[in-house]
Amino acid sequence: MKPIDGLYIVSVMAISSSSTGARVPVHPRERAALGLPDDCDVVIEEVNVFQWSGPDIVPQSDGSLMRANPASRKLTAAIGAAMVGRTPTIVFRSP
């Protein structure tokens, strides 16, 4: 996430229970904390990039957006490990 004149450009990966292809499972605690169904995974084949216009993203003091819990850190590490050697499709979306 980078601020540009007070705007934020974000990159996100979909979380889905119906997608096929390369996926990373979401830890049960993280799913519960986010209110996600039991069969959802992070789809790592595509990254969506767009200007975030909502109030929901609050940068942390270190500039990250990561929720401060071990499950979030483990999920981020698992996604990073799964991405080694992969080149996801980058899709620029309109706000």
Side-chain angles (χ1 to χ4, degrees):
M1 175 185 70
K2 298 284 184 191
I4 300 173
D5 295 330
L7 303 175
Y8 288 98
I9 305 300
V10 298
S11 55
V12 297
M13 292 178 158
I15 296 176
S16 175
S17 58
S18 63
S19 178
T20 60
R23 301 158 52 128
V24 172
V26 179
H27 188 278
R29 267 185 269 151
E30 189 71 353
R31 284 194 314 259
L34 296 171
L36 299 171
D38 290 341
D39 61 347
C40 67
D41 298 313
V42 177
V43 180
I44 63 170
E45 294 179 337
E46 180 176 286
V47 176
N48 297 292
V49 177
F50 56 94
Q51 175 189 328
W52 187 270
S53 58
D56 304 313
I57 292 182
V58 179
Q60 304 301 305
S61 60
D62 65 358
S64 74
L65 299 176
M66 185 180 298
R67 295 176 55 227
N69 69 51
S72 292
R73 288 187 206 96
K74 286 180 183 177
L75 178 58
T76 301
I79 291 169
M83 294 302 295
V84 172
R86 293 185 181 274
T87 303
T89 300
I90 297 174
V91 180
F92 294 94
R93 306 261 185 210
S94 298

